[in-house]
Amino acid sequence: MTEATRHTPGTPCWVSLMVHGLDRTQTFYGELFGWEFSPGPQQLGPYVRALIDGKEVAGIGILPADRQLPIAWTPYLATDDADTTAETIRSCGGTVGVGPLDAEDAGRMAVVTDPAGAVFGIWQASAHGGTAVYGTHGTPVWNELLTVETSSVGKFYQAVFGYEVEAVVSADLDCVTLLLEGRPVASLHGVGHALPRNRGTHWMTYFEVEDPDEAAERVVGLGGHVVQPPREASSGRLAIVADPEGAVFTIVRSAAR
């Protein structure tokens, strides 16, 4: 288990899910990951923070009736100035859908979209620094953008957040790792026509689990479904699953463990 300190700007620092049924969703993730919950900022409606051993790992809220957002896990990228970053996103071809606005005393945030249509958030921390613990069952461990091709959208993220990029050298893979200060923080994966038409370009959050096979079975038992069954990959053993409202995420036992 690793406890987080200050998040360098551009680092994924939080993941949040907006749903229609908050109680049912809490039950699902509580049973799957062992999360407990405490109240969070209410500026967009009812919202809870998920806890592991009393430490915050993720957030779940009720989807506002006037917001046309997908039911999907949304990563938030750290910034020292949400307003300036939002303006940079606009000038680089992205859009700002919500905010920037204050989340009570927790921080300042915005929900934005990159030029390819993927939704993500930006977070300027105040009282709430973001995900406080990593590397154990039920914690977010990675975020990957799935898109048609990485070149154009990669330039957007470089321009906004100053990432260094490291391409995977392969004739049949279009994968780029985003680095800050030499440290990998996220990745872009171009999948061409394999990109789901009903989702388009989107961010995928990976959650650490002790046993992906058992966790995938538990997902089904809790009312979700398996999108791609457990398999071995370079990052570890993983499966792609969806919760009862259709939010898709990856469960993984990381190879480094």
Side-chain angles (χ1 to χ4, degrees):
M1 181 184 294
T2 302
E3 293 195 21
T5 54
R6 177 186 174 274
H7 294 279
T8 303
T11 305
C13 63
W14 188 243
V15 289
S16 190
L17 175 65
M18 305 300 284
V19 296
H20 297 293
L22 185 56
D23 290 344
R24 184 186 183 192
T25 301
Q26 285 180 253
T27 299
F28 174 85
Y29 287 101
E31 292 289 333
L32 181 63
F33 291 144
W35 287 351
E36 297 178 335
F37 298 92
S38 66
Q42 309 290 308
Q43 84 282 1
L44 292 178
Y47 190 83
V48 296
R49 291 176 180 156
L51 311 174
I52 291 179
D53 295 331
K55 296 179 172 60
E56 297 163 342
V57 295
I60 303 173
I62 290 182
L63 189 67
D66 61 338
R67 304 291 186 187
Q68 298 301 312
L69 296 173
I71 306 247
W73 280 102
T74 301
Y76 280 71
L77 307 180
T79 176
D80 285 337
D81 187 330
D83 294 81
T84 298
T85 301
E87 282 303 316
T88 304
I89 286 166
R90 287 191 184 97
S91 67
C92 291
T95 58
V96 178
V98 178
L101 54 84
D102 290 327
E104 298 177 2
D105 64 346
R108 191 162 175 80
M109 54 81 72
V111 179
V112 302
T113 305
D114 72 22
V119 176
F120 66 99
I122 54 175
W123 181 254
Q124 178 185 336
S126 184
H128 172 63
T131 300
V133 61
Y134 297 90
T136 190
H137 181 87
T139 61
V141 290
W142 193 247
N143 288 280
E144 179 178 67
L145 182 75
L146 297 171
T147 186
V148 175
E149 56 85 26
T150 64
S151 177
S152 57
V153 75
K155 292 174 183 175
F156 165 82
Y157 286 98
Q158 278 185 280
V160 174
F161 295 105
Y163 296 121
E164 308 153 55
V165 298
E166 183 176 87
V168 174
V169 181
S170 171
D172 57 354
L173 278 180
D174 179 15
C175 292
V176 172
T177 302
L178 304 179
L179 304 98
L180 288 171
E181 301 170 348
R183 181 175 63 89
V185 295
S187 57
L188 313 179
H189 188 184
V191 296
H193 296 300
L195 188 70
R197 290 188 177 183
N198 63 333
R199 297 196 69 198
T201 297
H202 63 278
W203 281 95
M204 173 76 78
T205 297
Y206 287 60
F207 291 95
E208 188 74 27
V209 294
E210 291 291 340
D211 183 340
D213 296 77
E214 187 276 336
E217 290 180 7
R218 182 169 293 202
V219 164
V220 175
L222 292 168
H225 67 275
V226 175
V227 178
Q228 292 184 15
R231 62 182 175 87
E232 296 294 335
S234 59
S235 56
R237 186 163 181 80
L238 56 80
I240 300 176
V241 297
D243 72 16
E245 290 205 19
V248 177
F249 57 99
T250 296
I251 49 177
V252 61
R253 180 175 173 86
S254 297
R257 291 186 65 189

